[in-house]
Amino acid sequence: MEIQPFAPERKAPYYSICLHVILHERLRHEGMTSFLSLHPNLEMYSVTVYSKKKDVINMEYGLWDEYIDSFRLSKLGYGVSPEHMGYKVENISFKTYEEGKAAIIHNIKNKHLSLIGATYFHLPYSEYYHSDKYLIEYNSLHPGIIKHWISVYGIDEQKALIYDGVPADYVGSIKIRDFEACWRGDRAIKQLEKNTKVQGKKEFEMLQLYEICKIGKSDVMKLMESVAVTVAFEYNRGLIIREGNDTHYFGRSAINQLVEDLISYKYDDHLNGGHLSDYGQAVLEIKLMRYYYLDLLKDLVMLYGSAYEEDLAWFNRIVKQWEAISIGLMKNIMRQSPLKKFLEATIESVEQTKMQENQFFIEFLQRHPQISLVKPIKAIQI
């Protein structure tokens, strides 16, 4: 039994969130207008966040976290993207494989893709398929690897038909024993049973979408504009949240704190290159966040033409500056260049880019005053 025809969009950008890709495909398949760029921006992934535990940078909060309970969703309160597009969203798990399979078959009969949690360890096309590397390096693997989502568009007694948007870009079948194992997840891998990182993970996890109301193309187009303005608003607001020893900086506050920390690092009497890779990772994450917003602006130009062309050209120049800063940091880390001189140049570049970015988001709000903000799904505590 399978959904026919099934022809997903392919070649999603490498920095895409795996669940956003299959959510986008699910909505497209159900006849909705959907843009891949809309999903990360609706969830404020393009709003920089820079988090510290005392004096330690923790960029895990930057891009990757548990999806449904992700950092931005809980702190900024905007919810998951389908909730703004006429859907109720529920993250569920099944007690048995057979119970879950029945839910997949029910979805197929209704021509709905099933969005399920999966482990790379049992996906045959993955580099981590039954790999010792996955087991040995599990605690240090990127959070985006150990929290993965795929979609199912067909199933029978021998095989499952799946779509894995990123990073694999895979459409096709896997054997049913691999499918059951991958859906059961990391918690069921015997070699990881004592690993505390798998405790609490769900087996046979599924993201269920229930349509509450239909929204048309014009509604989605308006939502795209509202999202672009809301990201600019959150950037300018520069929210700072303190929780015990943790401090989380959003938007312009994140960049301000990055500059402040780089300056402190430069004047550290015990300066060495030990923490430079942390800052390199921070700038890399910031660059990727800019890609999400750049993609949104490109789609707005496609939809509205000249109304956003100036914005796109300006922000594209800002992205290129972040790319240059990121490349410079990575090269310095590899070459171990003289640190103080390099830090001075990096701080100057970040400050210049920060000033241009601040001005961009201020003027963006001024140029589009008629567009309303996206309303948060829930209130936040500051």
Side-chain angles (χ1 to χ4, degrees), residues 356-371:
Q356 293 179 37
E357 197 166 72
N358 287 349
Q359 194 62 32
F360 169 83
F361 283 116
I362 289 169
E363 293 193 19
F364 186 86
L365 289 176
Q366 293 172 345
R367 280 197 298 275
H368 306 284
Q370 75 284 4
I371 299 170

Side-chain angles (χ1 to χ4, degrees), residues 55-73:
D55 294 322
V56 179
I57 301 170
N58 183 358
M59 286 305 292
E60 276 193 15
Y61 291 132
L63 279 179
W64 305 98
D65 209 325
E66 296 291 318
Y67 184 79
I68 294 302
D69 299 315
S70 80
F71 186 77
R72 274 183 186 75
L73 304 189

